[in-house]
Amino acid sequence: MYRMIQLESLIPETLPGVALFIKHGENHVLYKDPKLSFTQSDKERLLDNNVKHLFVKAAEMSTYNQYVEANLPLLLGDDSIEPELKQTMLYQASVNYVQEIFDSPAIAIRQNVDRCRNLIKHILNDVMGSDGVMPALSSLVDHNAYTYVHSVQVATYSISLHIREFDLGKDELMDVGMGSLFHDYGKVYVPKELLDKPGKLSASEFMEVKKHPVYGYSTLKDLEIFTPVALGIVKHHHEKENGSGYPDGLSSYDIARSSKITAIADVFSALTTNRSYRQALTKEKALEIMYGEMDGSFDLQYLNTFRDSLQ
Ligand SMILES: [Fe+2]
Ligand SMILES: [Fe+2]
């Protein structure tokens, strides 16, 4: 198993010992032995040949991820790198991180909480510095499994909508970022066949899927690093204004604003992403559904603000 990485994410002479591969047709061919260093002229040669992506073995992604995260401030501050590419690297690093964390035992979250906060801090800065919804988000979709990309999208939309609606300090935004990044964490305890099932779920299968907010909430609560706001998002992102949501069937005034906002981010991300059972919808079509058939699900004021932010 190989994972694609951006050539621009590699700073010559600093890469730790990971093997790099390039793709020839269907095959991955060793480009750099882990014992050799990756030099400036290596990078220039690849750029001259229009190579934008390299590949790393899945087992070495953790080393690569930590390397990119450590170098993010440097990469994001590098004026010679295109802004859009920087965004892609940031969101890609976040997706890689989520994948690593979701695939590890829950305790790894506690051990890596600084990495997580760091990534959210960068996302916050990026969202604050841009006026529209990040174009880089949509470019991630084709190369990564759904849940990881979805988590980063929901965190980004949710942070962005909170900033538009409220005057929040960085600490509160950080809580929102943590909660929305991990909102679907409980899905690691739901059988994968159910999550990817193309057809309609049976009543009992749907019951099983509907447990994920509570699974996520109780697992993350036990780690004692998430605040009540973040945990509330995890537990209540499927509640609906009209009380028909789950797990607690809360309605309107009983749902925290951060959960209402994350619910909008969640559904919009899900509808606008390719799934095994249907093509991604356009943002217009997604909004049509959210205002139409899903009428009664969302807080209308927040939904209106979200719609306006997408124009
Ligand atoms: Fe969910
Ligand atoms: Fe979700």
Side-chain angles (χ1 to χ4, degrees):
M1 275 286 277
Y2 296 88
R3 300 262 174 76
M4 193 170 79
I5 63 167
Q6 269 95 19
L7 175 61
E8 287 288 359
S9 67
L10 305 178
I11 303 172
E13 310 293 352
T14 62
L15 187 68
V18 295
L20 297 176
F21 296 81
I22 40 179
K23 209 167 176 186
H24 269 301
E26 283 306 292
N27 300 320
H28 294 87
V29 181
L30 183 66
Y31 173 75
K32 184 192 85 66
D33 185 279
K35 288 191 224 64
L36 300 177
S37 69
F38 178 75
T39 64
Q40 182 64 34
S41 55
D42 287 335
K43 188 166 180 173
E44 280 163 14
R45 202 167 330 115
L46 290 167
L47 284 171
D48 285 347
N49 286 304
N50 226 355
V51 174
K52 295 197 172 76
H53 300 113
L54 294 168
F55 294 83
V56 166
K57 280 196 174 142
E60 293 191 321
M61 270 309 272
S62 176
T63 311
Y64 167 79
N65 289 344
Q66 294 192 40
Y67 163 78
V68 174
E69 285 162 36
N71 285 301
L72 264 181
L74 205 66
L75 293 166
L76 296 177
D78 184 341
D79 291 336
S80 70
I81 305 178
E82 296 282 316
E84 208 161 305
L85 185 58
K86 283 188 208 173
Q87 271 195 334
T88 305
M89 285 194 292
L90 167 59
Y91 290 109
Q92 190 65 63
S94 308
V95 171
N96 292 346
Y97 172 78
V98 173
Q99 176 157 25
E100 190 185 327
I101 275 300
F102 277 40
D103 290 348
S104 312
I107 191 75
I109 299 173
R110 183 151 62 196
Q111 286 151 1
N112 287 295
V113 66
D114 288 341
R115 288 175 66 192
C116 185
R117 293 218 170 98
N118 218 7
L119 281 170
I120 292 174
K121 202 169 72 200
H122 288 304
I123 293 179
L124 262 177
N125 289 338
D126 185 60
V127 172
M128 284 171 160
S130 51
D131 7 282
V133 164
M134 316 69 219
L137 280 179
S138 47
S139 68
L140 297 169
V141 174
D142 292 324
H143 312 295
N144 296 278
Y146 170 73
T147 304
Y148 316 123
V149 174
H150 171 68
S151 304
V152 175
Q153 285 187 343
V154 172
T156 310
Y157 294 140
S158 181
I159 288 172
S160 159
L161 187 48
H162 273 86
I163 291 174
R164 278 164 205 273
E165 279 292 339
F166 311 108
D167 185 18
L168 298 180
K170 276 218 167 173
D171 284 353
E172 285 168 282
L173 288 171
M174 190 63 91
D175 289 346
V176 166
M178 288 286 275
S180 44
L181 191 65
F182 285 92
H183 76 281
D184 273 340
Y185 182 72
K187 285 190 176 171
V188 304
Y189 302 104
V190 175
K192 215 175 155 349
E193 314 83 77
L194 295 189
L195 299 176
D196 295 335
K197 189 172 167 180
K200 213 173 173 329
L201 295 176
S202 71
S204 66
E205 288 171 334
F206 192 41
M207 282 263 284
E208 195 52 45
V209 172
K210 278 161 79 173
K211 289 179 185 164
H212 77 271
V214 172
Y215 287 152
Y217 171 79
S218 46
T219 309
L220 298 175
K221 189 170 188 283
D222 289 347
L223 295 176
E224 297 179 334
I225 50 171
F226 285 77
T227 63
V229 168
L231 291 170
I233 292 175
V234 177
K235 193 171 181 189
H236 291 137
H237 67 275
H238 286 291
E239 300 291 353
K240 293 180 177 167
E241 279 299 295
N242 60 15
S244 67
Y246 59 89
D248 294 328
L250 301 179
S251 51
S252 188
Y253 293 110
D254 296 322
I255 311 171
R257 64 189 193 187
S258 50
S259 299
K260 295 179 186 215
I261 285 181
T262 307
I264 293 172
D266 182 38
V267 171
F268 183 79
S269 160
L271 293 175
T272 54
T273 306
N274 276 327
R275 302 302 305 275
S276 50
Y277 45 87
R278 63 152 171 72
Q279 284 274 300
L281 304 178
T282 62
K283 62 181 186 189
E284 291 78 14
K285 185 71 197 155
L287 287 170
E288 195 185 308
I289 291 174
M290 291 170 79
Y291 277 99
E293 355 178 330
M294 296 189 76
D295 183 34
S297 300
F298 308 109
D299 180 297
L300 273 184
Q301 183 196 322
Y302 300 155
L303 187 57
N304 291 342
T305 306
F306 185 67
R307 177 196 55 202
D308 295 347
S309 76
L310 296 170
Q311 305 304 319

Coordinates of all heavy atoms in Angstrom, one line a residue, residues 66-143:
Q66 N 4.6 13.3 10.6 CA 5.2 14.1 11.7 C 6.2 15.1 11.2 O 6.4 16.2 11.6 CB 5.8 13.2 12.8 CG 4.8 12.4 13.5 CD 5.3 11.7 14.7 OE1 6.0 12.2 15.5 NE2 4.8 10.5 14.9
Y67 N 6.9 14.6 10.1 CA 7.9 15.5 9.4 C 7.2 16.7 8.9 O 7.6 17.9 9.1 CB 8.6 14.7 8.4 CG 9.3 15.5 7.3 CD1 10.5 16.1 7.6 CD2 8.8 15.8 6.1 CE1 11.2 16.9 6.7 CE2 9.4 16.5 5.2 CZ 10.6 17.1 5.5 OH 11.2 17.9 4.6
V68 N 6.1 16.5 8.1 CA 5.4 17.6 7.5 C 4.8 18.5 8.5 O 4.9 19.8 8.4 CB 4.2 17.1 6.6 CG1 3.4 18.3 6.0 CG2 4.8 16.3 5.4
E69 N 4.2 17.9 9.6 CA 3.6 18.8 10.6 C 4.6 19.7 11.3 O 4.4 20.8 11.6 CB 2.9 17.9 11.6 CG 1.6 17.4 11.1 CD 1.0 16.2 11.9 OE1 1.2 16.2 13.2 OE2 0.5 15.3 11.3
A70 N 5.8 19.1 11.5 CA 6.9 19.9 12.2 C 7.3 21.0 11.3 O 7.7 22.1 11.8 CB 8.0 18.9 12.5
N71 N 7.2 20.8 10.0 CA 7.7 21.8 9.0 C 6.6 22.7 8.5 O 6.9 23.6 7.7 CB 8.4 21.1 7.8 CG 9.8 20.6 8.2 OD1 10.6 21.4 8.7 ND2 10.0 19.3 8.1
L72 N 5.4 22.5 8.9 CA 4.3 23.3 8.4 C 4.5 24.8 8.5 O 4.3 25.5 7.6 CB 3.0 22.9 9.1 CG 2.1 21.9 8.3 CD1 0.8 21.7 9.1 CD2 1.7 22.4 6.9
P73 N 5.0 25.3 9.7 CA 5.1 26.8 9.8 C 6.1 27.3 8.7 O 5.9 28.3 8.1 CB 5.8 26.9 11.2 CG 5.4 25.7 12.0 CD 5.3 24.6 11.0
L74 N 7.2 26.5 8.5 CA 8.1 26.9 7.5 C 7.5 26.8 6.1 O 7.7 27.8 5.3 CB 9.3 25.8 7.5 CG 10.7 26.3 7.1 CD1 11.2 27.4 8.0 CD2 11.6 25.1 7.1
L75 N 6.8 25.7 5.8 CA 6.2 25.6 4.4 C 5.1 26.7 4.2 O 5.0 27.3 3.1 CB 5.6 24.2 4.3 CG 6.6 23.0 4.3 CD1 5.9 21.7 4.4 CD2 7.3 23.0 2.9
L76 N 4.3 26.9 5.2 CA 3.2 27.9 5.1 C 3.7 29.3 4.9 O 3.1 30.2 4.4 CB 2.2 27.8 6.2 CG 1.5 26.4 6.4 CD1 0.6 26.4 7.6 CD2 0.7 26.1 5.1
G77 N 4.9 29.5 5.5 CA 5.5 30.9 5.4 C 6.4 31.1 4.2 O 6.9 32.1 4.0
D78 N 6.5 30.0 3.4 CA 7.4 30.1 2.2 C 6.7 30.8 1.0 O 5.8 30.2 0.5 CB 7.9 28.7 1.8 CG 8.9 28.7 0.7 OD1 9.0 29.7 0.0 OD2 9.5 27.6 0.5
D79 N 7.2 32.0 0.7 CA 6.5 32.8 -0.4 C 6.7 32.2 -1.7 O 6.0 32.6 -2.7 CB 7.0 34.2 -0.3 CG 6.5 34.9 0.9 OD1 5.5 34.5 1.5 OD2 7.2 35.9 1.4
S80 N 7.7 31.3 -1.9 CA 7.9 30.7 -3.2 C 6.9 29.6 -3.5 O 6.7 29.2 -4.7 CB 9.3 30.2 -3.4 OG 9.5 29.0 -2.6
I81 N 6.1 29.2 -2.5 CA 5.1 28.1 -2.8 C 3.7 28.8 -3.0 O 3.4 29.7 -2.3 CB 5.0 27.1 -1.6 CG1 6.4 26.5 -1.3 CG2 4.0 26.0 -1.8 CD1 6.4 25.6 -0.1
E82 N 3.0 28.4 -4.1 CA 1.7 28.9 -4.4 C 0.8 28.8 -3.2 O 0.7 27.7 -2.6 CB 1.1 28.1 -5.5 CG 1.9 28.2 -6.9 CD 1.6 29.6 -7.5 OE1 0.4 29.9 -7.6 OE2 2.5 30.2 -8.0
P83 N -0.1 29.8 -2.9 CA -1.0 29.8 -1.8 C -1.9 28.5 -1.9 O -2.2 27.9 -0.8 CB -1.8 31.0 -2.0 CG -1.0 31.9 -2.8 CD -0.1 31.1 -3.6
E84 N -2.4 28.2 -3.1 CA -3.3 27.1 -3.1 C -2.6 25.7 -2.8 O -3.2 24.9 -2.2 CB -3.9 27.0 -4.5 CG -5.3 26.3 -4.5 CD -6.1 26.6 -5.7 OE1 -6.3 27.8 -6.0 OE2 -6.5 25.7 -6.4
L85 N -1.3 25.6 -3.2 CA -0.6 24.4 -2.8 C -0.3 24.3 -1.3 O -0.4 23.3 -0.7 CB 0.8 24.4 -3.6 CG 1.6 23.2 -3.5 CD1 0.9 22.0 -3.9 CD2 2.9 23.3 -4.3
K86 N -0.1 25.5 -0.7 CA 0.1 25.5 0.7 C -1.2 25.0 1.4 O -1.1 24.2 2.4 CB 0.4 26.9 1.2 CG 1.7 27.4 0.9 CD 1.9 28.8 1.6 CE 2.9 29.6 0.9 NZ 3.0 31.0 1.5
Q87 N -2.3 25.5 0.9 CA -3.6 25.0 1.5 C -3.7 23.5 1.3 O -4.1 22.8 2.3 CB -4.7 25.7 0.8 CG -5.2 27.0 1.4 CD -6.5 27.4 0.9 OE1 -6.9 27.0 -0.2 NE2 -7.2 28.2 1.7
T88 N -3.4 23.1 0.1 CA -3.5 21.6 -0.1 C -2.6 20.9 0.9 O -3.0 19.8 1.4 CB -3.1 21.3 -1.6 OG1 -3.9 22.1 -2.4 CG2 -3.4 19.8 -1.9
M89 N -1.4 21.3 1.1 CA -0.5 20.6 2.0 C -1.1 20.6 3.4 O -1.0 19.6 4.1 CB 0.9 21.3 2.0 CG 1.6 20.9 0.7 SD 3.4 21.3 0.8 CE 3.4 23.1 0.9
L90 N -1.6 21.8 3.8 CA -2.2 21.9 5.2 C -3.3 20.9 5.3 O -3.4 20.1 6.3 CB -2.7 23.3 5.4 CG -3.5 23.5 6.6 CD1 -2.8 23.1 7.9 CD2 -4.0 25.0 6.7
Y91 N -4.3 20.9 4.4 CA -5.4 20.0 4.5 C -5.0 18.6 4.4 O -5.6 17.7 5.0 CB -6.6 20.5 3.6 CG -7.1 21.8 4.1 CD1 -6.9 23.0 3.4 CD2 -7.8 21.8 5.3 CE1 -7.4 24.2 3.9 CE2 -8.3 23.0 5.8 CZ -8.1 24.2 5.1 OH -8.5 25.4 5.6
Q92 N -4.1 18.3 3.5 CA -3.6 17.0 3.3 C -2.9 16.5 4.6 O -3.2 15.3 5.0 CB -2.6 16.9 2.1 CG -2.3 15.5 1.7 CD -3.5 14.8 1.1 OE1 -4.0 15.2 0.1 NE2 -3.9 13.7 1.8
A93 N -2.1 17.3 5.2 CA -1.5 16.9 6.5 C -2.6 16.6 7.5 O -2.4 15.7 8.3 CB -0.6 18.1 7.0
S94 N -3.6 17.4 7.5 CA -4.7 17.1 8.5 C -5.4 15.8 8.2 O -5.7 15.1 9.1 CB -5.7 18.3 8.5 OG -5.1 19.5 8.6
V95 N -5.7 15.6 6.9 CA -6.3 14.3 6.6 C -5.4 13.1 6.9 O -5.9 12.1 7.5 CB -6.7 14.3 5.0 CG1 -7.1 12.9 4.6 CG2 -7.7 15.3 4.7
N96 N -4.1 13.2 6.7 CA -3.2 12.2 7.0 C -3.2 11.9 8.5 O -3.2 10.8 9.0 CB -1.8 12.5 6.6 CG -1.6 12.6 5.1 OD1 -2.5 12.1 4.3 ND2 -0.6 13.1 4.6
Y97 N -3.3 13.0 9.2 CA -3.2 12.9 10.7 C -4.5 12.2 11.2 O -4.4 11.3 12.0 CB -3.1 14.3 11.3 CG -3.3 14.3 12.8 CD1 -2.3 13.9 13.6 CD2 -4.6 14.6 13.4 CE1 -2.5 13.8 15.0 CE2 -4.7 14.5 14.8 CZ -3.7 14.1 15.6 OH -3.9 14.0 16.9
V98 N -5.7 12.6 10.7 CA -6.9 12.0 11.1 C -6.9 10.5 10.8 O -7.3 9.6 11.6 CB -8.1 12.7 10.4 CG1 -9.4 11.9 10.7 CG2 -8.3 14.1 10.9
Q99 N -6.4 10.1 9.6 CA -6.3 8.7 9.2 C -5.4 8.0 10.2 O -5.8 6.9 10.7 CB -5.7 8.6 7.8 CG -5.5 7.2 7.4 CD -5.5 7.0 5.9 OE1 -5.2 7.9 5.2 NE2 -5.9 5.8 5.4
E100 N -4.3 8.5 10.5 CA -3.4 7.9 11.5 C -4.0 7.7 12.8 O -3.9 6.6 13.4 CB -2.1 8.8 11.6 CG -1.0 8.1 12.3 CD 0.2 9.1 12.5 OE1 0.4 10.0 11.6 OE2 0.9 9.0 13.6
I101 N -4.7 8.7 13.3 CA -5.3 8.7 14.6 C -6.5 7.7 14.6 O -6.7 7.0 15.6 CB -5.8 10.1 15.0 CG1 -4.6 10.9 15.6 CG2 -7.0 10.2 15.8 CD1 -4.0 10.3 16.9
F102 N -7.3 7.8 13.6 CA -8.5 6.9 13.6 C -8.1 5.4 13.5 O -8.8 4.5 13.9 CB -9.5 7.2 12.4 CG -10.4 8.4 12.7 CD1 -10.0 9.5 13.4 CD2 -11.7 8.4 12.3 CE1 -10.8 10.6 13.7 CE2 -12.6 9.4 12.5 CZ -12.1 10.5 13.2
D103 N -6.9 5.2 12.9 CA -6.5 3.8 12.7 C -5.7 3.3 13.9 O -5.2 2.1 13.9 CB -5.6 3.6 11.4 CG -6.4 3.8 10.2 OD1 -7.7 3.8 10.3 OD2 -5.9 3.9 9.1
S104 N -5.4 4.2 14.9 CA -4.6 3.8 16.1 C -5.6 3.6 17.3 O -6.7 4.0 17.3 CB -3.6 4.9 16.4 OG -2.9 5.3 15.3
P105 N -5.1 2.9 18.4 CA -5.9 2.8 19.6 C -6.2 4.3 20.1 O -5.4 5.2 19.9 CB -5.0 2.1 20.6 CG -3.9 1.6 19.8 CD -3.8 2.3 18.5
A106 N -7.4 4.4 20.8 CA -7.8 5.7 21.2 C -6.8 6.5 22.0 O -6.6 7.7 22.0 CB -9.1 5.6 22.0
I107 N -6.0 5.7 22.8 CA -5.0 6.3 23.7 C -4.0 7.2 22.9 O -3.4 8.2 23.4 CB -4.2 5.3 24.5 CG1 -3.4 5.9 25.6 CG2 -3.4 4.4 23.6 CD1 -4.2 6.4 26.8
A108 N -3.8 6.9 21.6 CA -2.9 7.7 20.7 C -3.3 9.1 20.6 O -2.5 10.0 20.4 CB -2.8 7.0 19.4
I109 N -4.6 9.3 20.8 CA -5.1 10.7 20.7 C -4.5 11.5 21.8 O -4.1 12.7 21.6 CB -6.7 10.8 20.8 CG1 -7.3 10.0 19.6 CG2 -7.2 12.2 20.7 CD1 -8.8 9.8 19.7
R110 N -4.5 10.9 23.0 CA -4.0 11.7 24.2 C -2.5 12.0 24.0 O -2.0 13.0 24.2 CB -4.2 10.9 25.5 CG -3.8 11.7 26.6 CD -4.5 11.5 27.9 NE -4.4 10.1 28.3 CZ -5.1 9.5 29.2 NH1 -6.1 10.1 29.7 NH2 -4.9 8.2 29.5
Q111 N -1.8 10.9 23.4 CA -0.4 11.1 23.2 C -0.1 12.2 22.1 O 1.0 12.8 22.1 CB 0.3 9.8 22.8 CG 0.4 8.8 24.0 CD 0.4 7.4 23.6 OE1 0.3 7.1 22.4 NE2 0.4 6.5 24.5
N112 N -1.0 12.3 21.2 CA -0.8 13.2 20.1 C -1.6 14.5 20.1 O -1.8 15.2 19.1 CB -1.1 12.5 18.8 CG -0.1 11.5 18.5 OD1 1.1 11.8 18.2 ND2 -0.4 10.2 18.5
V113 N -2.1 14.8 21.3 CA -3.0 16.0 21.4 C -2.4 17.3 20.9 O -3.0 18.1 20.3 CB -3.7 16.1 22.8 CG1 -2.7 16.4 23.8 CG2 -4.8 17.1 22.8
D114 N -1.1 17.4 21.2 CA -0.4 18.6 20.7 C -0.4 18.7 19.2 O -0.5 19.8 18.6 CB 1.0 18.7 21.3 CG 1.0 19.0 22.8 OD1 -0.1 19.5 23.2 OD2 2.0 18.7 23.4
R115 N -0.1 17.6 18.6 CA -0.1 17.6 17.1 C -1.5 18.0 16.6 O -1.6 18.8 15.6 CB 0.1 16.2 16.6 CG 1.6 15.7 16.7 CD 1.7 14.3 16.3 NE 1.5 14.1 14.9 CZ 1.3 13.0 14.3 NH1 1.3 11.8 15.0 NH2 1.1 12.9 13.0
C116 N -2.5 17.5 17.2 CA -3.9 17.8 16.8 C -4.2 19.3 17.0 O -4.7 19.9 16.1 CB -4.8 17.0 17.6 SG -6.5 17.1 17.1
R117 N -3.8 19.8 18.1 CA -4.1 21.3 18.4 C -3.3 22.1 17.4 O -3.8 23.1 16.9 CB -3.7 21.6 19.8 CG -4.6 21.0 20.8 CD -4.9 21.9 22.0 NE -5.9 21.3 22.9 CZ -5.6 20.6 24.0 NH1 -4.4 20.5 24.4 NH2 -6.6 20.1 24.7
N118 N -2.1 21.7 17.1 CA -1.3 22.4 16.1 C -1.9 22.5 14.8 O -2.0 23.6 14.1 CB 0.0 21.7 16.1 CG 1.2 22.6 16.0 OD1 1.0 23.8 16.1 ND2 2.4 22.1 15.7
L119 N -2.4 21.4 14.3 CA -3.1 21.4 13.0 C -4.3 22.3 13.0 O -4.6 23.0 12.0 CB -3.5 19.9 12.6 CG -2.3 19.1 12.1 CD1 -2.7 17.7 11.9 CD2 -1.8 19.7 10.7
I120 N -5.1 22.2 14.0 CA -6.3 23.0 14.1 C -5.9 24.5 14.1 O -6.6 25.3 13.5 CB -7.2 22.6 15.3 CG1 -7.8 21.2 15.0 CG2 -8.3 23.6 15.5 CD1 -8.5 20.6 16.1
K121 N -4.8 24.8 14.8 CA -4.4 26.2 14.9 C -4.1 26.7 13.4 O -4.5 27.8 13.0 CB -3.1 26.3 15.7 CG -2.8 27.7 16.3 CD -1.8 27.6 17.3 CE -0.4 27.3 16.7 NZ 0.6 26.8 17.6
H122 N -3.4 25.8 12.6 CA -3.1 26.2 11.3 C -4.4 26.4 10.4 O -4.5 27.3 9.6 CB -2.2 25.2 10.6 CG -0.8 25.3 11.1 ND1 0.0 26.4 11.1 CD2 0.0 24.3 11.7 CE1 1.2 26.2 11.6 NE2 1.2 24.9 12.0
I123 N -5.3 25.4 10.6 CA -6.6 25.5 9.9 C -7.3 26.8 10.3 O -7.8 27.5 9.4 CB -7.5 24.3 10.2 CG1 -6.9 23.0 9.6 CG2 -8.9 24.5 9.6 CD1 -7.7 21.8 9.9
L124 N -7.3 27.1 11.6 CA -7.9 28.4 12.0 C -7.3 29.6 11.3 O -8.0 30.4 10.8 CB -7.6 28.6 13.5 CG -8.7 28.2 14.5 CD1 -8.2 28.3 15.9 CD2 -9.9 29.0 14.3
N125 N -6.0 29.6 11.3 CA -5.3 30.8 10.6 C -5.7 30.8 9.2 O -5.9 31.9 8.6 CB -3.8 30.7 10.8 CG -3.4 30.9 12.2 OD1 -4.1 31.6 13.0 ND2 -2.2 30.4 12.6
D126 N -5.8 29.7 8.5 CA -6.1 29.6 7.1 C -7.6 30.1 6.9 O -7.8 30.9 6.0 CB -6.0 28.2 6.6 CG -6.2 28.2 5.1 OD1 -5.4 28.9 4.4 OD2 -7.1 27.5 4.6
V127 N -8.5 29.6 7.7 CA -9.9 30.0 7.6 C -10.0 31.5 7.8 O -10.8 32.2 7.1 CB -10.8 29.2 8.5 CG1 -12.2 29.8 8.5 CG2 -10.8 27.8 8.2
M128 N -9.3 32.0 8.8 CA -9.4 33.5 9.1 C -8.9 34.3 8.0 O -9.3 35.4 7.8 CB -8.7 33.8 10.4 CG -9.5 33.3 11.6 SD -8.4 33.5 13.1 CE -9.7 33.5 14.4
G129 N -7.9 33.8 7.3 CA -7.3 34.6 6.3 C -7.9 34.4 4.9 O -7.4 35.0 3.9
S130 N -9.0 33.7 4.8 CA -9.6 33.5 3.4 C -11.1 33.9 3.5 O -11.7 33.7 4.5 CB -9.4 32.1 2.9 OG -9.8 31.2 3.8
D131 N -11.6 34.4 2.4 CA -13.0 34.9 2.4 C -14.0 33.8 2.0 O -15.1 33.8 2.4 CB -13.2 36.2 1.6 CG -12.0 36.6 0.8 OD1 -11.1 37.2 1.5 OD2 -12.0 36.3 -0.4
G132 N -13.6 32.9 1.2 CA -14.6 31.9 0.7 C -14.3 30.6 1.3 O -13.5 30.5 2.2
V133 N -15.0 29.6 0.9 CA -14.7 28.3 1.5 C -13.6 27.7 0.6 O -13.5 27.8 -0.6 CB -16.0 27.4 1.5 CG1 -15.6 25.9 1.6 CG2 -16.8 27.8 2.6
M134 N -12.7 27.1 1.3 CA -11.4 26.7 0.8 C -11.4 25.8 -0.4 O -11.9 24.7 -0.4 CB -10.6 25.9 1.9 CG -10.7 26.6 3.2 SD -12.4 26.5 3.9 CE -12.6 28.1 4.6
P135 N -10.9 26.3 -1.6 CA -10.9 25.4 -2.7 C -10.1 24.2 -2.6 O -10.4 23.1 -3.1 CB -10.3 26.3 -3.8 CG -9.6 27.4 -3.1 CD -10.2 27.5 -1.8
A136 N -9.1 24.2 -1.7 CA -8.2 23.1 -1.5 C -8.9 21.9 -1.0 O -8.6 20.7 -1.2 CB -7.0 23.4 -0.6
L137 N -10.0 22.1 -0.3 CA -10.7 21.0 0.3 C -11.3 20.0 -0.7 O -11.2 18.8 -0.5 CB -11.9 21.6 1.1 CG -11.6 22.1 2.5 CD1 -12.9 22.6 3.1 CD2 -11.0 21.0 3.4
S138 N -11.8 20.6 -1.8 CA -12.4 19.7 -2.8 C -11.3 18.9 -3.5 O -11.6 17.8 -4.0 CB -13.2 20.5 -3.8 OG -12.5 21.6 -4.2
S139 N -10.1 19.4 -3.6 CA -9.0 18.6 -4.3 C -8.5 17.4 -3.5 O -7.9 16.5 -4.1 CB -7.8 19.5 -4.6 OG -7.2 19.9 -3.5
L140 N -8.9 17.3 -2.3 CA -8.4 16.2 -1.5 C -9.2 14.9 -1.7 O -8.7 13.8 -1.6 CB -8.6 16.5 0.0 CG -7.8 17.7 0.6 CD1 -8.3 18.0 2.0 CD2 -6.3 17.3 0.7
V141 N -10.5 15.2 -2.1 CA -11.5 14.1 -2.0 C -11.1 12.8 -2.8 O -11.4 11.8 -2.2 CB -12.8 14.7 -2.5 CG1 -13.9 13.6 -2.6 CG2 -13.2 15.8 -1.5
D142 N -10.6 12.9 -3.9 CA -10.4 11.7 -4.7 C -9.4 10.8 -4.2 O -9.3 9.6 -4.6 CB -10.1 12.1 -6.2 CG -11.3 12.8 -6.8 OD1 -12.4 12.4 -6.5 OD2 -11.1 13.7 -7.6
H143 N -8.5 11.3 -3.4 CA -7.3 10.4 -3.1 C -7.4 9.8 -1.7 O -6.5 9.1 -1.3 CB -6.0 11.3 -3.2 CG -6.0 12.0 -4.4 ND1 -5.9 11.4 -5.6 CD2 -6.0 13.3 -4.7 CE1 -5.8 12.3 -6.6 NE2 -5.9 13.5 -6.0

